[in-house]
Amino acid sequence: MKILTKIYYWLISFVAVIGMIGYIAAVVIQVFSRTFLPVVPSWTEEAARYLFIYSVAVGAGAVSLKDEYARVVIITSKFSEGFKKFYEVLICVMLIIFDVYLAYYSVPKFVFLRFRMVSTAMQLPMQWINFSVLLFVILQAVSYVMRIILLLSGTDSKILLASSEEENFGNVDVEEVAE
């Protein structure tokens, strides 16, 4: 499971980074053309928007798997390790239920539209753009399932997925500062 988790994390992180590089490239083209060219390409604004949306949708899976969402741990830091594990699993299960609910209702409303709609400049079918909502909840639910499996097997996903730069950077938990 550890190898599968690392491959999954690397893959979605890679796709998110590629999306952000595309986003930056589209914005640079837009800025350059507004500054130096007489005609601005109309597709760059839409491309930047859609690449950013997909980068966030894919990156949410990586953030969920590594448990890097911002949260307050003042109360939970006082609990025993067994209760913390139970609490984390409970939160993950609740988020999976919410993701399944959101996926169930996003498919007919946003992904499979009755009428053909296309974007203004790029003429992309809007189903491709709206698919990012479904991709977001699917990747997030898969990440939470993996986190539950890792939690129950006694593996910390932060330590498993930490890079050597993160280990040397000096990440400090609130609990360490409070002591």
Side-chain angles (χ1 to χ4, degrees):
M1 183 65 188
K2 292 179 183 179
I3 300 291
L4 180 65
T5 303
K6 286 184 178 184
I7 291 170
Y8 173 75
Y9 179 76
W10 181 86
L11 184 66
I12 60 178
S13 298
F14 180 75
V15 171
V17 167
I18 293 297
M20 286 307 290
I21 289 171
Y23 166 75
I24 292 168
V27 170
V28 166
I29 291 170
Q30 178 77 296
V31 169
F32 178 81
S33 61
R34 283 181 185 250
T35 307
F36 299 110
L37 300 177
V39 178
V40 178
S42 61
W43 60 269
T44 56
E45 186 179 338
E46 273 189 15
R49 184 180 318 124
Y50 300 150
L51 286 167
F52 183 75
I53 289 170
Y54 266 93
S55 295
V56 169
V58 173
V63 171
S64 300
L65 183 62
K66 206 167 176 184
D67 191 28
E68 291 187 334
Y69 280 120
R71 61 179 160 172
V72 179
V73 294
I74 292 173
I75 296 172
T76 58
S77 66
K78 305 296 181 195
F79 295 134
S80 68
E81 290 301 317
F83 185 79
K84 283 182 190 177
K85 185 185 285 189
F86 169 76
Y87 177 75
E88 289 293 323
V89 169
L90 180 66
I91 295 294
C92 288
V93 167
M94 290 172 57
L95 290 169
I96 290 169
I97 292 169
F98 176 72
D99 286 336
V100 169
Y101 174 81
L102 195 59
Y104 178 76
Y105 284 104
S106 71
V107 170
K109 300 264 186 203
F110 300 114
V111 179
F112 298 117
L113 300 173
R114 286 189 220 158
F115 305 105
R116 178 165 162 76
M117 299 169 140
V118 292
S119 63
T120 310
M122 298 176 64
Q123 297 298 307
L124 289 174
M126 289 307 291
Q127 286 93 338
W128 293 5
I129 309 309
N130 295 337
F131 180 73
S132 64
V133 174
L134 185 61
L135 183 66
F136 170 80
V137 295
I138 288 172
L139 291 176
Q140 199 166 16
V142 168
S143 296
Y144 284 129
V145 168
M146 287 183 158
R147 265 200 69 222
I148 289 172
I149 293 170
L150 290 172
L151 281 168
L152 294 178
S153 69
T155 306
D156 186 6
S157 60
K158 286 183 182 179
I159 295 171
L160 177 67
L161 301 172
S163 64
S164 59
E165 294 86 24
E166 290 177 12
E167 292 169 1
N168 297 331
F169 189 66
N171 290 336
V172 180
D173 285 339
V174 174
E175 297 164 8
E176 293 174 5
V177 173
E179 293 175 355

